Amino acid sequence: MAQNTSPAVMAQRIEPHDSLDYFPTPPWAVRALCEHLDTWGSIGAASCWEPACGSGDMVRALKGYFGEVAGSDVHDYGGPDQDEVADFLFPALPALADGWPAGAPDWIITNPPFRLAEAFALRALDLAGEGVALLVRTSFLEGVGRHERLFARFPPEWILQFTERVPMVKGRLDGGASTATAYCWIVWVQPCPSGSGRAPRHPTHFPAFRWLPPCRRRLERPGDYPEA
Ligand SMILES: C[S@@+](CC[C@H](N)C(=O)[O-])C[C@H]1O[C@@H](n2cnc3c(N)ncnc32)[C@H](O)[C@@H]1O
């Protein structure tokens, strides 16, 4: 039987409940976020935690921009960019990189397992000192319950919608893949103490919507994809 790959069907892909939902992120999509953050404020001295790092494809791209980056995942993928095996939703914090600031990093950035994305957002917002960025299917923006529990309580700073598709396939990074699913970055900037020079976020804050212009070709690097 022919597989139905219509956009409506692809956006509803259901993973088994016990699936790790391992869909590695092409590094260019991470660089697009980092370029945006870099134009907003310096991230070169900031620390960043990728708490669902898989084989570390996102970690490697983040290391090109952030001062310090650590990666963890609930499953041991055995890669050199995974510092710890840890469940991000477990209350205790893992011991991350040497010299990691006690408590929380400045930024938490990941492409979370889709079925746990809301829980990841709430946990990350609880921990990160500066900001949180999650790469999600654009359909994650929908939903009355999710709006009540997440977006209305914690309005994001930016929604960065890719104009290009970001192809992600299960279990491997594939530079030749295609997808019918739309993705965006949702970025939260943490409220700041008064006097810090940045306006605190307010519950009536409206996120800024930006399109990420085509950038894949410019942001891909040799070695981003495994040899065929
Ligand atoms: C969509 S993949 C993204 C992998 C990686 N962030 C990337 O972008 O290349 C989701 C990842 O979440 C991990 N994961 C699932 N549940 C988790 C949990 N409770 N805590 C930490 N990691 C988890 C999976 O093992 C998988 O590597």
Side-chain angles (χ1 to χ4, degrees), residues 85-180:
V85 178
D87 183 340
F88 183 57
L89 303 178
F90 189 71
L93 284 178
L96 290 162
D98 282 347
W100 194 257
D106 297 321
W107 281 85
I108 294 179
I109 298 178
T110 191
N111 166 3
F114 191 72
R115 102 192 134 77
L116 296 176
E118 184 181 321
F120 264 63
L122 292 169
R123 172 80 168 144
L125 285 162
D126 203 30
L127 294 175
E130 284 274 319
V132 172
L134 297 186
L135 179 63
V136 291
R137 291 178 221 162
T138 303
S139 59
F140 183 73
L141 295 170
E142 297 175 340
V144 174
R146 189 175 299 134
H147 178 261
E148 285 171 0
R149 293 184 300 267
L150 178 62
F151 296 125
R153 291 174 62 210
F154 304 101
E157 194 70 20
W158 298 289
I159 294 164
L160 307 174
Q161 174 64 48
F162 282 96
T163 50
E164 295 164 291
R165 285 282 158 88
V166 185
M168 289 188 246
V169 291
K170 188 161 191 164
R172 66 186 206 287
L173 207 53
D174 181 352
S178 62
T179 182

Side-chain angles (χ1 to χ4, degrees), residues 20-25 50-52 54 73-74 77 86-88 110-111 113:
L20 289 173
D21 207 1
Y22 178 46
F23 285 73
T25 304
E50 212 288 42
D73 197 287
V74 73
Y77 288 84
D87 183 340
F88 183 57
T110 191
N111 166 3

Side-chain angles (χ1 to χ4, degrees), residues 3-222:
Q3 193 187 0
N4 187 342
T5 54
S6 75
V9 170
M10 298 298 280
Q12 288 174 25
R13 179 180 53 79
I14 306 289
E15 283 295 303
H17 185 69
D18 59 352
S19 163
L20 289 173
D21 207 1
Y22 178 46
F23 285 73
T25 304
W28 68 267
V30 184
R31 295 184 188 115
L33 166 75
C34 292
E35 283 198 343
H36 172 85
L37 295 179
D38 236 354
T39 57
W40 160 74
S42 175
I43 54 174
S47 58
C48 178
W49 178 14
E50 212 288 42
C53 67
S55 298
D57 297 290
M58 195 173 256
V59 171
R60 283 189 287 284
L62 291 168
K63 281 181 175 169
Y65 296 85
F66 281 88
E68 188 187 4
V69 181
S72 62
D73 197 287
V74 73
H75 178 72
D76 187 357
Y77 288 84
D81 295 295
Q82 181 172 357
D83 300 286
E84 285 291 331
V85 178
D87 183 340
F88 183 57
L89 303 178
F90 189 71
L93 284 178
L96 290 162
D98 282 347
W100 194 257
D106 297 321
W107 281 85
I108 294 179
I109 298 178
T110 191
N111 166 3
F114 191 72
R115 102 192 134 77
L116 296 176
E118 184 181 321
F120 264 63
L122 292 169
R123 172 80 168 144
L125 285 162
D126 203 30
L127 294 175
E130 284 274 319
V132 172
L134 297 186
L135 179 63
V136 291
R137 291 178 221 162
T138 303
S139 59
F140 183 73
L141 295 170
E142 297 175 340
V144 174
R146 189 175 299 134
H147 178 261
E148 285 171 0
R149 293 184 300 267
L150 178 62
F151 296 125
R153 291 174 62 210
F154 304 101
E157 194 70 20
W158 298 289
I159 294 164
L160 307 174
Q161 174 64 48
F162 282 96
T163 50
E164 295 164 291
R165 285 282 158 88
V166 185
M168 289 188 246
V169 291
K170 188 161 191 164
R172 66 186 206 287
L173 207 53
D174 181 352
S178 62
T179 182
T181 306
Y183 285 90
C184 66
W185 281 105
I186 303 180
V187 185
W188 289 264
V189 173
Q190 297 285 39
C192 292
S194 56
S196 67
R198 261 176 28 212
R201 197 181 48 225
H202 188 271
T204 57
H205 173 86
F206 290 114
F209 182 93
R210 305 266 162 88
W211 281 274
L212 290 170
C215 56
R216 174 175 176 170
R217 183 184 280 202
R218 181 174 61 79
L219 293 177
E220 281 185 326
R221 305 276 181 269

